[in-house]
Amino acid sequence: MKKNNFIREAKKNHIIFFFLAFFIIFIASCSLSPNSGIEDFYNFPNPFNSKESYTTYRVSIKSGEIINAKLEIYSTSGDLLDSKDLTVDTADKKIATCIWAGLDKNGKYLPAGVYIAKITVKDNQDSTFIEEFRTYIK
């Protein structure tokens, strides 16, 4: 009798486990993640020498049109160093770009190192996408 209850309870737990595993996988693969609408986000050149040149940031989205896009540059400790509005391409409204010279918000050159570039894009379908990656100044 106890063995049958144990087997029944084990089967019930397996069903719950598989249901939860399926649900977690479904949610993880769902297209509602904040980065799902960004097709590309990068800067070139990367790394760059801020005292000799500049770098261009480019973002593109998968669908819709970009209404506005903002770039923020952070130190690795999380301090906001600079921010720029990107210019939306007039021919292809899925693309926006801006130039950054490696200066902080006070106009001073940042030292060589690793920085975090964060982009926030709003589109005409009432969506907001956020993505970040590392930018290098040499």
Short mmCIF file of all heavy atoms in Angstrom, two decimals, residues 17-80:
data_model
loop_
_atom_site.label_atom_id
_atom_site.label_comp_id
_atom_site.label_asym_id
_atom_site.label_seq_id
_atom_site.Cartn_x
_atom_site.Cartn_y
_atom_site.Cartn_z
N PHE A 17 7.21 18.53 -12.54
CA PHE A 17 8.55 18.92 -12.96
C PHE A 17 8.59 19.19 -14.47
O PHE A 17 9.12 20.20 -14.92
CB PHE A 17 9.56 17.83 -12.59
CG PHE A 17 10.92 18.07 -13.16
CD1 PHE A 17 11.78 19.01 -12.59
CD2 PHE A 17 11.35 17.39 -14.30
CE1 PHE A 17 13.03 19.24 -13.13
CE2 PHE A 17 12.60 17.63 -14.84
CZ PHE A 17 13.43 18.55 -14.25
N PHE A 18 8.05 18.27 -15.27
CA PHE A 18 8.08 18.46 -16.71
C PHE A 18 7.24 19.66 -17.15
O PHE A 18 7.61 20.38 -18.07
CB PHE A 18 7.62 17.18 -17.44
CG PHE A 18 8.66 16.10 -17.41
CD1 PHE A 18 8.41 14.91 -16.78
CD2 PHE A 18 9.90 16.28 -17.99
CE1 PHE A 18 9.37 13.91 -16.73
CE2 PHE A 18 10.87 15.31 -17.96
CZ PHE A 18 10.60 14.12 -17.32
N PHE A 19 6.11 19.89 -16.51
CA PHE A 19 5.30 21.07 -16.81
C PHE A 19 6.09 22.35 -16.52
O PHE A 19 6.13 23.26 -17.34
CB PHE A 19 4.00 21.05 -16.02
CG PHE A 19 3.19 22.29 -16.20
CD1 PHE A 19 2.49 22.51 -17.38
CD2 PHE A 19 3.15 23.26 -15.22
CE1 PHE A 19 1.76 23.67 -17.56
CE2 PHE A 19 2.42 24.43 -15.40
CZ PHE A 19 1.72 24.63 -16.57
N LEU A 20 6.73 22.42 -15.37
CA LEU A 20 7.52 23.60 -15.01
C LEU A 20 8.70 23.79 -15.96
O LEU A 20 9.01 24.90 -16.37
CB LEU A 20 8.01 23.52 -13.56
CG LEU A 20 6.93 23.72 -12.51
CD1 LEU A 20 7.50 23.47 -11.12
CD2 LEU A 20 6.34 25.11 -12.60
N ALA A 21 9.38 22.69 -16.31
CA ALA A 21 10.51 22.78 -17.24
C ALA A 21 10.05 23.30 -18.60
O ALA A 21 10.68 24.18 -19.20
CB ALA A 21 11.18 21.42 -17.39
N PHE A 22 8.93 22.78 -19.09
CA PHE A 22 8.38 23.26 -20.36
C PHE A 22 8.03 24.73 -20.28
O PHE A 22 8.33 25.51 -21.19
CB PHE A 22 7.14 22.43 -20.74
CG PHE A 22 6.44 22.97 -21.95
CD1 PHE A 22 6.93 22.74 -23.22
CD2 PHE A 22 5.29 23.74 -21.83
CE1 PHE A 22 6.29 23.25 -24.34
CE2 PHE A 22 4.64 24.26 -22.93
CZ PHE A 22 5.15 24.00 -24.19
N PHE A 23 7.39 25.15 -19.20
CA PHE A 23 6.99 26.54 -19.03
C PHE A 23 8.21 27.46 -19.01
O PHE A 23 8.22 28.50 -19.65
CB PHE A 23 6.19 26.68 -17.73
CG PHE A 23 5.65 28.05 -17.49
CD1 PHE A 23 4.61 28.54 -18.25
CD2 PHE A 23 6.20 28.85 -16.52
CE1 PHE A 23 4.11 29.81 -18.04
CE2 PHE A 23 5.72 30.13 -16.30
CZ PHE A 23 4.67 30.61 -17.06
N ILE A 24 9.25 27.07 -18.29
CA ILE A 24 10.47 27.89 -18.22
C ILE A 24 11.12 28.00 -19.59
O ILE A 24 11.53 29.07 -20.01
CB ILE A 24 11.44 27.31 -17.17
CG1 ILE A 24 10.86 27.53 -15.77
CG2 ILE A 24 12.83 27.92 -17.30
CD1 ILE A 24 11.59 26.79 -14.67
N ILE A 25 11.20 26.90 -20.32
CA ILE A 25 11.79 26.93 -21.66
C ILE A 25 10.95 27.80 -22.59
O ILE A 25 11.47 28.59 -23.38
CB ILE A 25 11.96 25.51 -22.22
CG1 ILE A 25 13.05 24.78 -21.43
CG2 ILE A 25 12.30 25.52 -23.70
CD1 ILE A 25 13.13 23.30 -21.70
N PHE A 26 9.63 27.69 -22.50
CA PHE A 26 8.74 28.50 -23.32
C PHE A 26 8.94 29.99 -23.04
O PHE A 26 9.08 30.79 -23.96
CB PHE A 26 7.28 28.12 -23.07
CG PHE A 26 6.31 29.01 -23.78
CD1 PHE A 26 6.10 28.88 -25.14
CD2 PHE A 26 5.63 30.00 -23.10
CE1 PHE A 26 5.22 29.71 -25.81
CE2 PHE A 26 4.74 30.83 -23.76
CZ PHE A 26 4.54 30.68 -25.11
N ILE A 27 8.99 30.38 -21.78
CA ILE A 27 9.17 31.78 -21.41
C ILE A 27 10.53 32.28 -21.87
O ILE A 27 10.66 33.39 -22.39
CB ILE A 27 9.00 31.98 -19.88
CG1 ILE A 27 7.56 31.70 -19.46
CG2 ILE A 27 9.43 33.38 -19.45
CD1 ILE A 27 6.53 32.61 -20.08
N ALA A 28 11.57 31.47 -21.72
CA ALA A 28 12.91 31.88 -22.12
C ALA A 28 13.01 32.10 -23.63
O ALA A 28 13.76 32.95 -24.09
CB ALA A 28 13.93 30.84 -21.67
N SER A 29 12.26 31.34 -24.40
CA SER A 29 12.33 31.47 -25.86
C SER A 29 11.30 32.45 -26.41
O SER A 29 11.27 32.70 -27.61
CB SER A 29 12.14 30.11 -26.52
OG SER A 29 10.82 29.65 -26.28
N CYS A 30 10.47 32.98 -25.57
CA CYS A 30 9.43 33.91 -26.00
C CYS A 30 10.04 35.19 -26.55
O CYS A 30 11.05 35.67 -26.08
CB CYS A 30 8.51 34.22 -24.81
SG CYS A 30 7.07 35.17 -25.26
N SER A 31 9.41 35.78 -27.55
CA SER A 31 9.94 36.98 -28.20
C SER A 31 9.67 38.25 -27.42
O SER A 31 9.85 39.34 -27.94
CB SER A 31 9.36 37.10 -29.60
OG SER A 31 7.97 37.32 -29.51
N LEU A 32 9.25 38.14 -26.18
CA LEU A 32 8.96 39.33 -25.39
C LEU A 32 10.18 39.84 -24.64
O LEU A 32 10.08 40.78 -23.88
CB LEU A 32 7.83 39.03 -24.38
CG LEU A 32 6.50 38.66 -25.01
CD1 LEU A 32 5.50 38.30 -23.92
CD2 LEU A 32 5.96 39.78 -25.86
N SER A 33 11.33 39.24 -24.84
CA SER A 33 12.52 39.71 -24.15
C SER A 33 12.89 41.09 -24.66
O SER A 33 12.64 41.43 -25.81
CB SER A 33 13.69 38.74 -24.36
OG SER A 33 14.09 38.74 -25.70
N PRO A 34 13.49 41.96 -23.80
CA PRO A 34 13.72 43.34 -24.19
C PRO A 34 14.65 43.50 -25.39
O PRO A 34 14.57 44.48 -26.08
CB PRO A 34 14.35 43.97 -22.95
CG PRO A 34 14.41 42.93 -21.92
CD PRO A 34 13.87 41.67 -22.46
N ASN A 35 15.53 42.55 -25.65
CA ASN A 35 16.48 42.69 -26.75
C ASN A 35 15.97 42.11 -28.06
O ASN A 35 16.66 42.16 -29.05
CB ASN A 35 17.79 41.99 -26.39
CG ASN A 35 18.43 42.61 -25.18
OD1 ASN A 35 18.09 43.70 -24.78
ND2 ASN A 35 19.37 41.91 -24.59
N SER A 36 14.78 41.55 -28.07
CA SER A 36 14.32 40.78 -29.21
C SER A 36 14.17 41.60 -30.48
O SER A 36 14.21 41.05 -31.56
CB SER A 36 13.00 40.09 -28.88
OG SER A 36 12.00 41.06 -28.64
N GLY A 37 14.00 42.92 -30.39
CA GLY A 37 13.80 43.72 -31.58
C GLY A 37 15.05 44.31 -32.17
O GLY A 37 15.03 44.85 -33.27
N ILE A 38 16.18 44.22 -31.48
CA ILE A 38 17.43 44.78 -32.00
C ILE A 38 18.11 43.74 -32.87
O ILE A 38 18.35 42.62 -32.46
CB ILE A 38 18.36 45.24 -30.86
CG1 ILE A 38 17.73 46.44 -30.14
CG2 ILE A 38 19.74 45.58 -31.40
CD1 ILE A 38 18.54 47.00 -29.00
N GLU A 39 18.39 44.15 -34.10
CA GLU A 39 19.06 43.24 -35.04
C GLU A 39 20.57 43.35 -34.88
O GLU A 39 21.26 42.34 -34.80
CB GLU A 39 18.65 43.59 -36.47
CG GLU A 39 19.19 42.64 -37.49
CD GLU A 39 18.56 42.88 -38.84
OE1 GLU A 39 18.52 44.04 -39.30
OE2 GLU A 39 18.10 41.90 -39.44
N ASP A 40 21.09 44.57 -34.84
CA ASP A 40 22.53 44.82 -34.71
C ASP A 40 22.77 46.01 -33.81
O ASP A 40 22.02 46.99 -33.86
CB ASP A 40 23.14 45.18 -36.08
CG ASP A 40 23.76 44.00 -36.79
OD1 ASP A 40 24.17 43.05 -36.11
OD2 ASP A 40 23.83 44.04 -38.03
N PHE A 41 23.83 45.95 -33.01
CA PHE A 41 24.28 47.10 -32.23
C PHE A 41 25.79 46.94 -32.07
O PHE A 41 26.25 45.98 -31.49
CB PHE A 41 23.58 47.17 -30.88
CG PHE A 41 24.10 48.26 -29.96
CD1 PHE A 41 24.35 49.54 -30.44
CD2 PHE A 41 24.33 48.00 -28.63
CE1 PHE A 41 24.82 50.53 -29.60
CE2 PHE A 41 24.79 48.99 -27.78
CZ PHE A 41 25.04 50.26 -28.27
N TYR A 42 26.54 47.87 -32.64
CA TYR A 42 27.99 47.79 -32.58
C TYR A 42 28.59 49.17 -32.82
O TYR A 42 27.89 50.11 -33.19
CB TYR A 42 28.54 46.80 -33.61
CG TYR A 42 28.18 47.12 -35.04
CD1 TYR A 42 29.01 47.93 -35.82
CD2 TYR A 42 27.01 46.64 -35.62
CE1 TYR A 42 28.69 48.23 -37.13
CE2 TYR A 42 26.69 46.94 -36.92
CZ TYR A 42 27.53 47.73 -37.67
OH TYR A 42 27.21 48.05 -38.97
N ASN A 43 29.90 49.27 -32.58
CA ASN A 43 30.62 50.48 -32.95
C ASN A 43 31.85 50.10 -33.74
O ASN A 43 32.38 49.00 -33.62
CB ASN A 43 30.97 51.34 -31.73
CG ASN A 43 32.00 50.72 -30.83
OD1 ASN A 43 31.84 49.59 -30.38
ND2 ASN A 43 33.05 51.44 -30.53
N PHE A 44 32.28 51.01 -34.62
CA PHE A 44 33.47 50.77 -35.41
C PHE A 44 34.23 52.08 -35.57
O PHE A 44 33.60 53.12 -35.71
CB PHE A 44 33.11 50.18 -36.79
CG PHE A 44 32.16 51.04 -37.59
CD1 PHE A 44 32.62 52.00 -38.49
CD2 PHE A 44 30.78 50.91 -37.41
CE1 PHE A 44 31.74 52.80 -39.19
CE2 PHE A 44 29.89 51.72 -38.14
CZ PHE A 44 30.37 52.65 -39.02
N PRO A 45 35.51 52.10 -35.45
CA PRO A 45 36.33 50.97 -34.99
C PRO A 45 36.16 50.72 -33.50
O PRO A 45 35.74 51.60 -32.76
CB PRO A 45 37.76 51.44 -35.29
CG PRO A 45 37.69 52.93 -35.25
CD PRO A 45 36.32 53.29 -35.72
N ASN A 46 36.47 49.52 -33.10
CA ASN A 46 36.43 49.13 -31.68
C ASN A 46 37.51 48.09 -31.49
O ASN A 46 37.37 46.98 -31.98
CB ASN A 46 35.06 48.56 -31.31
CG ASN A 46 34.91 48.29 -29.83
OD1 ASN A 46 35.69 48.75 -29.02
ND2 ASN A 46 33.89 47.52 -29.49
N PRO A 47 38.61 48.44 -30.85
CA PRO A 47 38.89 49.65 -30.07
C PRO A 47 39.26 50.82 -30.97
O PRO A 47 39.55 50.65 -32.15
CB PRO A 47 40.07 49.24 -29.19
CG PRO A 47 40.76 48.17 -29.96
CD PRO A 47 39.70 47.46 -30.75
N PHE A 48 39.27 52.01 -30.37
CA PHE A 48 39.69 53.21 -31.09
C PHE A 48 40.52 54.06 -30.16
O PHE A 48 40.47 53.92 -28.94
CB PHE A 48 38.47 53.97 -31.63
CG PHE A 48 37.69 54.72 -30.58
CD1 PHE A 48 37.80 56.10 -30.46
CD2 PHE A 48 36.84 54.05 -29.72
CE1 PHE A 48 37.08 56.79 -29.50
CE2 PHE A 48 36.11 54.73 -28.76
CZ PHE A 48 36.23 56.10 -28.64
N ASN A 49 41.32 54.96 -30.74
CA ASN A 49 42.14 55.88 -29.97
C ASN A 49 41.43 57.22 -29.98
O ASN A 49 41.38 57.90 -31.00
CB ASN A 49 43.54 56.00 -30.59
CG ASN A 49 44.46 56.88 -29.77
OD1 ASN A 49 44.03 57.78 -29.07
ND2 ASN A 49 45.75 56.61 -29.88
N SER A 50 40.88 57.60 -28.84
CA SER A 50 40.04 58.80 -28.79
C SER A 50 40.80 60.09 -29.10
O SER A 50 40.21 61.06 -29.53
CB SER A 50 39.35 58.90 -27.43
OG SER A 50 40.30 59.00 -26.40
N LYS A 51 42.10 60.11 -28.90
CA LYS A 51 42.86 61.34 -29.17
C LYS A 51 43.22 61.48 -30.64
O LYS A 51 43.63 62.54 -31.08
CB LYS A 51 44.10 61.38 -28.30
CG LYS A 51 43.72 61.53 -26.83
CD LYS A 51 44.90 61.62 -25.92
CE LYS A 51 44.38 61.78 -24.51
NZ LYS A 51 45.33 61.51 -23.49
N GLU A 52 43.05 60.40 -31.41
CA GLU A 52 43.38 60.44 -32.84
C GLU A 52 42.17 60.28 -33.75
O GLU A 52 42.22 60.66 -34.91
CB GLU A 52 44.39 59.33 -33.16
CG GLU A 52 45.73 59.51 -32.47
CD GLU A 52 46.66 58.34 -32.72
OE1 GLU A 52 46.33 57.46 -33.53
OE2 GLU A 52 47.73 58.32 -32.10
N SER A 53 41.10 59.69 -33.24
CA SER A 53 39.94 59.42 -34.09
C SER A 53 38.67 59.37 -33.24
O SER A 53 38.67 59.81 -32.11
CB SER A 53 40.13 58.09 -34.84
OG SER A 53 40.18 57.01 -33.93
N TYR A 54 37.63 58.84 -33.79
CA TYR A 54 36.35 58.70 -33.12
C TYR A 54 35.78 57.33 -33.49
O TYR A 54 36.33 56.62 -34.33
CB TYR A 54 35.38 59.81 -33.52
CG TYR A 54 35.18 59.92 -35.01
CD1 TYR A 54 34.23 59.13 -35.64
CD2 TYR A 54 35.95 60.78 -35.78
CE1 TYR A 54 34.04 59.20 -37.01
CE2 TYR A 54 35.77 60.85 -37.15
CZ TYR A 54 34.82 60.06 -37.76
OH TYR A 54 34.65 60.12 -39.11
N THR A 55 34.67 56.98 -32.90
CA THR A 55 34.00 55.73 -33.24
C THR A 55 32.54 56.03 -33.58
O THR A 55 31.98 57.00 -33.08
CB THR A 55 34.11 54.70 -32.08
OG1 THR A 55 33.60 53.44 -32.53
CG2 THR A 55 33.36 55.14 -30.84
N THR A 56 31.98 55.23 -34.45
CA THR A 56 30.60 55.39 -34.87
C THR A 56 29.77 54.22 -34.32
O THR A 56 30.13 53.06 -34.52
CB THR A 56 30.49 55.41 -36.41
OG1 THR A 56 31.28 56.48 -36.91
CG2 THR A 56 29.05 55.57 -36.85
N TYR A 57 28.70 54.55 -33.64
CA TYR A 57 27.77 53.54 -33.14
C TYR A 57 26.64 53.39 -34.15
O TYR A 57 26.16 54.37 -34.71
CB TYR A 57 27.20 53.94 -31.78
CG TYR A 57 28.19 53.76 -30.68
CD1 TYR A 57 29.07 54.78 -30.35
CD2 TYR A 57 28.29 52.55 -29.99
CE1 TYR A 57 30.01 54.62 -29.35
CE2 TYR A 57 29.23 52.38 -28.99
CZ TYR A 57 30.08 53.41 -28.67
OH TYR A 57 31.02 53.24 -27.69
N ARG A 58 26.22 52.14 -34.33
CA ARG A 58 25.13 51.86 -35.27
C ARG A 58 24.19 50.84 -34.63
O ARG A 58 24.64 49.85 -34.06
CB ARG A 58 25.69 51.27 -36.56
CG ARG A 58 24.64 50.98 -37.61
CD ARG A 58 25.31 50.35 -38.85
NE ARG A 58 24.42 50.20 -39.95
CZ ARG A 58 23.57 49.19 -40.11
NH1 ARG A 58 23.49 48.25 -39.21
NH2 ARG A 58 22.80 49.12 -41.17
N VAL A 59 22.90 51.11 -34.72
CA VAL A 59 21.89 50.18 -34.24
C VAL A 59 20.86 49.99 -35.34
O VAL A 59 20.56 50.93 -36.08
CB VAL A 59 21.23 50.66 -32.93
CG1 VAL A 59 20.44 51.93 -33.14
CG2 VAL A 59 20.35 49.58 -32.31
N SER A 60 20.37 48.76 -35.47
CA SER A 60 19.27 48.50 -36.40
C SER A 60 18.28 47.58 -35.70
O SER A 60 18.64 46.80 -34.82
CB SER A 60 19.78 47.86 -37.70
OG SER A 60 20.38 46.61 -37.44
N ILE A 61 17.01 47.71 -36.10
CA ILE A 61 15.96 46.89 -35.51
C ILE A 61 15.37 45.97 -36.56
O ILE A 61 15.50 46.23 -37.77
CB ILE A 61 14.86 47.76 -34.84
CG1 ILE A 61 14.21 48.72 -35.84
CG2 ILE A 61 15.43 48.52 -33.66
CD1 ILE A 61 13.03 49.50 -35.26
N LYS A 62 14.72 44.91 -36.11
CA LYS A 62 14.20 43.89 -37.01
C LYS A 62 12.94 44.34 -37.75
O LYS A 62 12.76 44.04 -38.92
CB LYS A 62 13.90 42.61 -36.23
CG LYS A 62 15.14 41.96 -35.67
CD LYS A 62 14.79 40.76 -34.83
CE LYS A 62 16.03 40.21 -34.17
NZ LYS A 62 15.73 39.13 -33.23
N SER A 63 12.04 45.03 -37.05
CA SER A 63 10.80 45.46 -37.70
C SER A 63 10.39 46.82 -37.15
O SER A 63 10.89 47.26 -36.12
CB SER A 63 9.68 44.44 -37.46
OG SER A 63 9.38 44.37 -36.09
N GLY A 64 9.50 47.46 -37.85
CA GLY A 64 9.06 48.79 -37.44
C GLY A 64 10.07 49.84 -37.85
O GLY A 64 10.99 49.59 -38.63
N GLU A 65 9.88 51.05 -37.32
CA GLU A 65 10.79 52.16 -37.59
C GLU A 65 11.24 52.76 -36.27
O GLU A 65 10.45 52.88 -35.33
CB GLU A 65 10.08 53.23 -38.43
CG GLU A 65 9.69 52.77 -39.80
CD GLU A 65 8.97 53.85 -40.59
OE1 GLU A 65 8.57 54.89 -40.01
OE2 GLU A 65 8.79 53.65 -41.80
N ILE A 66 12.50 53.18 -36.23
CA ILE A 66 13.04 53.79 -35.02
C ILE A 66 12.45 55.19 -34.89
O ILE A 66 12.51 56.00 -35.82
CB ILE A 66 14.57 53.85 -35.06
CG1 ILE A 66 15.16 52.44 -35.08
CG2 ILE A 66 15.12 54.64 -33.87
CD1 ILE A 66 16.66 52.38 -35.26
N ILE A 67 11.90 55.48 -33.72
CA ILE A 67 11.41 56.82 -33.41
C ILE A 67 12.54 57.63 -32.78
O ILE A 67 12.80 58.75 -33.17
CB ILE A 67 10.19 56.77 -32.46
CG1 ILE A 67 9.05 55.99 -33.09
CG2 ILE A 67 9.76 58.15 -32.02
CD1 ILE A 67 8.50 56.60 -34.36
N ASN A 68 13.20 57.04 -31.79
CA ASN A 68 14.39 57.66 -31.22
C ASN A 68 15.27 56.59 -30.60
O ASN A 68 14.81 55.50 -30.27
CB ASN A 68 14.06 58.79 -30.23
CG ASN A 68 13.33 58.31 -29.01
OD1 ASN A 68 13.65 57.29 -28.43
ND2 ASN A 68 12.33 59.06 -28.60
N ALA A 69 16.55 56.93 -30.49
CA ALA A 69 17.54 56.01 -29.91
C ALA A 69 18.54 56.84 -29.13
O ALA A 69 18.94 57.92 -29.56
CB ALA A 69 18.23 55.22 -31.01
N LYS A 70 18.92 56.32 -27.97
CA LYS A 70 19.85 57.03 -27.10
C LYS A 70 20.98 56.10 -26.70
O LYS A 70 20.75 54.95 -26.32
CB LYS A 70 19.13 57.54 -25.85
CG LYS A 70 20.02 58.36 -24.95
CD LYS A 70 19.24 58.97 -23.82
CE LYS A 70 20.12 59.96 -23.11
NZ LYS A 70 19.43 61.14 -22.71
N LEU A 71 22.21 56.61 -26.79
CA LEU A 71 23.41 55.89 -26.39
C LEU A 71 23.89 56.45 -25.07
O LEU A 71 23.94 57.66 -24.89
CB LEU A 71 24.51 56.08 -27.45
CG LEU A 71 25.89 55.55 -27.08
CD1 LEU A 71 25.90 54.03 -27.11
CD2 LEU A 71 26.93 56.12 -28.01
N GLU A 72 24.23 55.56 -24.14
CA GLU A 72 24.82 55.97 -22.87
C GLU A 72 26.12 55.19 -22.69
O GLU A 72 26.16 53.99 -22.94
CB GLU A 72 23.87 55.69 -21.70
CG GLU A 72 22.61 56.52 -21.77
CD GLU A 72 21.60 56.14 -20.71
OE1 GLU A 72 21.45 54.94 -20.42
OE2 GLU A 72 20.94 57.06 -20.19
N ILE A 73 27.16 55.89 -22.28
CA ILE A 73 28.46 55.28 -22.03
C ILE A 73 28.69 55.26 -20.52
O ILE A 73 28.57 56.30 -19.87
CB ILE A 73 29.60 56.06 -22.72
CG1 ILE A 73 29.33 56.21 -24.22
CG2 ILE A 73 30.95 55.40 -22.44
CD1 ILE A 73 29.34 54.92 -25.00
N TYR A 74 28.99 54.08 -19.99
CA TYR A 74 29.21 53.89 -18.56
C TYR A 74 30.61 53.37 -18.30
O TYR A 74 31.18 52.65 -19.13
CB TYR A 74 28.21 52.87 -17.99
CG TYR A 74 26.79 53.33 -17.97
CD1 TYR A 74 25.95 53.12 -19.05
CD2 TYR A 74 26.28 53.97 -16.85
CE1 TYR A 74 24.63 53.54 -19.03
CE2 TYR A 74 24.95 54.40 -16.82
CZ TYR A 74 24.14 54.18 -17.91
OH TYR A 74 22.84 54.60 -17.88
N SER A 75 31.13 53.69 -17.12
CA SER A 75 32.35 53.04 -16.66
C SER A 75 31.98 51.62 -16.24
O SER A 75 30.80 51.31 -16.05
CB SER A 75 32.95 53.80 -15.47
OG SER A 75 32.10 53.70 -14.35
N THR A 76 32.97 50.77 -16.05
CA THR A 76 32.67 49.41 -15.61
C THR A 76 32.12 49.38 -14.19
O THR A 76 31.52 48.40 -13.78
CB THR A 76 33.92 48.51 -15.71
OG1 THR A 76 34.99 49.12 -15.00
CG2 THR A 76 34.32 48.28 -17.16
N SER A 77 32.29 50.48 -13.44
CA SER A 77 31.72 50.54 -12.10
C SER A 77 30.29 51.10 -12.11
O SER A 77 29.66 51.22 -11.07
CB SER A 77 32.60 51.38 -11.17
OG SER A 77 32.70 52.69 -11.65
N GLY A 78 29.77 51.45 -13.32
CA GLY A 78 28.38 51.86 -13.44
C GLY A 78 28.13 53.36 -13.47
O GLY A 78 26.99 53.79 -13.47
N ASP A 79 29.19 54.18 -13.50
CA ASP A 79 29.02 55.63 -13.56
C ASP A 79 28.70 56.06 -14.99
O ASP A 79 29.40 55.67 -15.93
CB ASP A 79 30.29 56.35 -13.09
CG ASP A 79 30.62 56.06 -11.64
OD1 ASP A 79 29.68 55.95 -10.83
OD2 ASP A 79 31.81 55.93 -11.31
N LEU A 80 27.66 56.89 -15.16
CA LEU A 80 27.32 57.43 -16.48
C LEU A 80 28.35 58.47 -16.86
O LEU A 80 28.55 59.45 -16.15
CB LEU A 80 25.92 58.04 -16.47
CG LEU A 80 25.46 58.70 -17.76
CD1 LEU A 80 25.38 57.67 -18.89
CD2 LEU A 80 24.13 59.39 -17.57
#
